[in-house]
Amino acid sequence: MTYKLLRKKRTTVQLLIGLSFIVVLLLIVFFLFKNETFETDYVKIDKNKIDPLTADYDTFHLDDSRKSKQIKYGYELFINTAEYLGPKNGKRERSFSGNNLACNNCHLNAGTKPYSGMLIGVINRFPQFRGRENKIGTIEERINGCMERSMNGKPLPPNGEEMKAFVAYMHWLNQFAPEDGKVKGAGYARIKIPNRAVDLQKGEKLFLNKCASCHGEDGQGIALQDYPGYLYPPLWGEDSYNIGAGMARVITAAEFIKTNMPYGATYEKPELTDEEAYDLAGYINQQDRPIKTNPEFDFPDLKKKPVSTPYPPYADTFPVSQHQLGPFQPIMEFYKEEYGMKKTK
């Protein structure tokens, strides 16, 4: 065999080897996608082995797919609500929020901090019955409840871009949660409610010692300089939540304060006692704030109204002042004896 034929045969063999390698590589990629080893947004992992409380929820890791962009927009709306939806956003048609607060002011760490109204797992618990409307509601309705109360604004269009982005972000936060949506750290941590009325003098002293450095002695917070919003939000006044917000209830506010305030406190390492959180919450919620439109339409079944709801009407004869400042145990006992209802808030 001549050298020329040997060289030709060697080239043919090399070509066949190269083609075989490419075919094998293509088959590997095909079966990987067929078995969904990869997803469009990120590498698929066994989500059942990820702790939802310690998972990485940084949107920076998302790609630029349409779905990921929607999640990122939802995150931006959540963190910088006033910039996109507030009264100073420069787009009147998108000024849905009536104040310059952010969702992140109440749902801390972008909705991922335990016992701060944490949103991990929440969307799996909807549709959900809520006594405030006395019906089963959707997640969209729940979001709009926050818009009208905590944000003192008006509802987002249910099928609008912003609502879809909020829901997409909440779905993404739900990726490691169990099917029933029950995750440790949901809602707020219970406190032992003191069997007495709020001590407003102690509450004021606590506020000045523990809260004023961030929220100001006048409770008006520290505003951002370059765009709408706050470094630390106001706790009362015209730019705060209205009386219809859950945080306007002493018991709810005390539960939030106990495990989250002063800034840096956690469920494991609180800085306040139950009694201190109670007095502090009562003092803050006795200050002037916006009145929600038509608050009398809340809780069609008045028996379902939380005992610390600060505005009437009620299904009892206790004075408004006692619903605002306690003691709450006599009110709870009344509902237990009269209606067989066990109330904890």
Side-chain angles (χ1 to χ4, degrees):
M1 185 178 291
T2 64
Y3 172 76
K4 188 174 182 180
L5 288 173
L6 283 172
R7 186 177 179 184
K8 184 177 180 181
K9 184 176 181 181
R10 185 182 301 165
T11 303
T12 302
V13 170
Q14 289 175 339
L15 182 60
L16 288 172
I17 292 173
L19 288 172
S20 298
F21 176 77
I22 292 172
V23 169
V24 171
L25 183 62
L26 289 173
L27 286 171
I28 291 173
V29 173
F30 171 77
F31 283 111
L32 285 176
F33 277 98
K34 183 179 179 181
N35 293 321
E36 298 181 342
T37 299
F38 295 104
E39 293 183 345
T40 55
D41 294 331
Y42 43 79
V43 176
K44 187 174 181 180
I45 56 180
D46 187 349
K47 296 179 179 180
N48 293 323
K49 295 182 179 180
I50 300 294
D51 182 351
L53 296 183
T54 59
D56 186 355
Y57 295 102
D58 191 343
T59 58
F60 175 81
H61 301 304
L62 295 174
D63 60 21
D64 290 326
S65 68
R66 184 174 177 275
K67 177 182 176 182
S68 293
K69 286 181 178 178
Q70 192 176 52
I71 294 169
K72 290 177 182 179
Y73 184 40
Y75 170 81
E76 281 295 318
L77 291 173
F78 198 89
I79 296 294
N80 302 306
T81 316
E83 183 178 356
Y84 292 95
L85 303 176
K88 299 178 182 179
N89 74 354
K91 298 178 181 179
R92 187 175 180 182
E93 71 280 5
R94 293 198 176 189
S95 295
F96 293 99
S97 177
N99 58 37
N100 289 287
L101 300 183
C103 304
N104 190 57
N105 292 143
C106 290
H107 305 276
L108 305 182
N109 293 358
T112 65
K113 186 174 189 282
Y115 302 108
S116 71
M118 185 178 69
L119 299 180
I120 298 171
V122 163
I123 208 162
N124 270 9
R125 303 201 295 272
F126 279 83
Q128 180 186 91
F129 178 85
R130 293 184 59 78
R132 191 155 57 191
E133 294 79 26
N134 202 38
K135 72 180 187 71
I136 295 175
T138 64
I139 188 64
E140 290 82 2
E141 289 173 315
R142 183 69 185 92
I143 291 169
N144 273 336
C146 285
M147 290 301 301
E148 294 182 83
R149 299 164 188 277
S150 298
M151 311 307 289
N152 192 36
K154 57 187 179 181
L156 295 167
N159 295 312
E161 181 182 1
E162 285 71 30
M163 179 62 81
K164 289 180 178 179
F166 271 126
V167 173
Y169 177 63
M170 292 182 71
H171 269 294
W172 184 70
L173 286 180
N174 198 60
Q175 60 186 299
F176 304 113
E179 289 186 10
D180 61 7
K182 294 180 180 179
V183 180
K184 182 181 178 181
Y188 304 112
R190 298 293 186 193
I191 66 165
K192 183 178 180 181
I193 304 168
N195 194 6
R196 60 171 175 80
V198 166
D199 188 323
L200 291 175
Q201 289 185 330
K202 287 184 178 179
E204 181 180 19
K205 186 177 180 179
L206 282 164
F207 181 81
L208 294 174
N209 290 336
K210 299 287 188 178
C211 313
S213 59
C214 291
H215 296 285
E217 292 187 6
D218 59 357
Q220 298 310 293
I222 299 176
L224 297 171
Q225 298 297 315
D226 299 326
Y227 51 90
Y230 290 91
L231 179 61
Y232 300 108
L235 301 181
W236 61 79
E238 288 303 309
D239 215 29
S240 189
Y241 53 88
N242 67 40
I243 63 166
M247 204 61 74
R249 304 174 199 149
V250 167
I251 296 174
T252 300
E255 291 174 343
F256 174 84
I257 289 168
K258 173 66 189 292
T259 54
N260 296 288
M261 295 294 145
Y263 185 78
T266 65
Y267 175 77
E268 292 78 14
K269 293 183 178 180
E271 294 189 28
L272 300 171
T273 66
D274 290 353
E275 293 213 358
E276 287 174 331
Y278 179 74
D279 290 331
L280 191 50
Y283 171 75
I284 290 170
N285 280 331
Q286 277 297 291
Q287 311 308 311
D288 291 335
R289 65 184 62 262
I291 304 297
K292 180 189 176 293
T293 304
N294 300 320
E296 67 275 11
F297 294 156
D298 288 353
F299 301 95
D301 182 352
L302 291 176
K303 297 189 299 296
K304 294 184 172 69
K305 203 167 193 176
V307 298
S308 61
T309 304
Y311 52 90
Y314 306 106
D316 58 66
T317 57
F318 292 91
V320 173
S321 60
Q322 188 165 348
H323 282 281
Q324 292 179 347
L325 294 170
F328 297 106
Q329 283 79 1
I331 307 177
M332 293 174 176
E333 283 298 319
F334 169 81
Y335 281 91
K336 184 177 180 180
E337 294 176 7
E338 189 73 16
Y339 303 111
M341 300 175 69
K342 183 179 180 181
K343 288 181 175 280
T344 59
K345 63 178 182 177

